[in-house]
Amino acid sequence: MSGKNCLSLRQIDNLKSNNIMKNNNLKHKALLFLLLVVAGVAKAQTFQPYKSGIITYHGYPFPIVPGTDEWKNISHTQRVASLQLPADTLQSISTARLLETCLYYPFNIDIFALDDQIYSFTKVKEQFNGYAELYQRTDFVQELMNLYASRNISFVNQMETDREKGHYAFDYHIMEFMFTDAAAMASDSQASQMEAMLMEKKEQKTQNSVYGSTNRIAIALAIGRCLQHTNVFSDYQGSTLQPFLQSGKPTNASDVDYIYSKATKP
């Protein structure tokens, strides 16, 4: 071959090699981009109770995440069904992980659907099989005490958004509802420890405006049920305390004050 515009065989081979390399690079970049997109979608679809990741979630990864398009496109009944734990998971999941799963069950918010929050909590428990399994575990009470004790009241101040501050306070609220049931399942020793721990948290929360007073009834009921183990209410002359401890419906504000007066002071 001759002429200024003619290429040698070596030059042609070099061009082919360069084109192959460019094509391979483009393929690699496209594959990398696809992997990043998939990873991003997977991350966005993964259930996490705290958007910032400030609290690590160890519970069951609910397959349909609240707020996603898939969640929005199904009925309430379908949502409840999608959150149920598979039978093999119920048998194999540790109590600690199961407790976190129940703590972050998406429909816990329905507790506030009615003024009678104890009744609402009962209804929430009835619709989720995770609660049914949790309350059968012999180590449930101890695991609940461990988790509750591990949370730091002042940690809420490290959170930047009001949403997550409110969520952290709500976590305490749910655990205190659990204590109202756990008190009847506890040993006398555990009940005494629970009562002292609940009272300490209650005192700490009154010093932090984030927590407000939304849990006053729940924590008073939990402490009161713990105190029943030691029969400290035998000298109480009021007629409304025992009905409150049974139903969770206060009819006399002095009952709550009386419970706190009998509780262990931190």
Side-chain angles (χ1 to χ4, degrees), residues 114-213:
L114 301 173
D115 290 337
D116 187 345
Q117 295 178 13
I118 301 299
Y119 174 80
S120 296
F121 183 50
T122 300
K123 291 301 180 183
V124 168
K125 289 184 297 182
E126 290 175 352
Q127 75 178 18
F128 181 44
N129 63 358
Y131 274 116
E133 174 64 25
L134 179 65
Y135 279 45
Q136 293 179 16
R137 299 288 181 93
T138 57
D139 55 344
F140 159 55
V141 173
Q142 190 59 55
E143 290 294 349
L144 176 59
M145 292 171 63
N146 293 344
L147 180 61
Y148 191 72
S150 71
R151 293 296 175 95
N152 188 328
I153 294 293
S154 61
F155 182 68
V156 72
N157 298 320
Q158 300 181 32
M159 299 178 172
E160 295 181 359
T161 67
D162 289 340
R163 178 189 180 279
E164 296 206 330
K165 288 179 180 180
H167 198 166
Y168 191 72
F170 186 62
D171 289 355
Y172 274 104
H173 200 43
I174 299 301
M175 287 187 282
E176 284 150 7
F177 274 117
M178 291 183 186
F179 273 118
T180 63
D181 298 318
M185 305 163 61
S187 65
D188 288 350
S189 174
Q190 285 177 322
S192 295
Q193 294 176 44
M194 286 164 53
E195 174 262 315
M197 181 168 54
L198 286 161
M199 191 62 185
E200 181 179 18
K201 296 284 190 182
K202 179 258 179 187
E203 292 297 316
Q204 291 174 355
K205 285 194 286 185
T206 58
Q207 301 171 25
N208 193 312
S209 60
V210 173
Y211 294 93
S213 59

Side-chain angles (χ1 to χ4, degrees), residues 21 54 67 88-89 98 104 108 111 138 142 163 172 179 185 191 200 204 207 210 212 226 231 233 239 245:
M21 290 179 65
I54 197 167
D88 57 342
T89 299
L98 181 59
Y104 294 111
N108 280 340
I111 291 170
T138 57
Q142 190 59 55
R163 178 189 180 279
Y172 274 104
F179 273 118
M185 305 163 61
E200 181 179 18
Q204 291 174 355
Q207 301 171 25
V210 173
C226 289
N231 197 32
F233 300 135
S239 60
L245 293 175

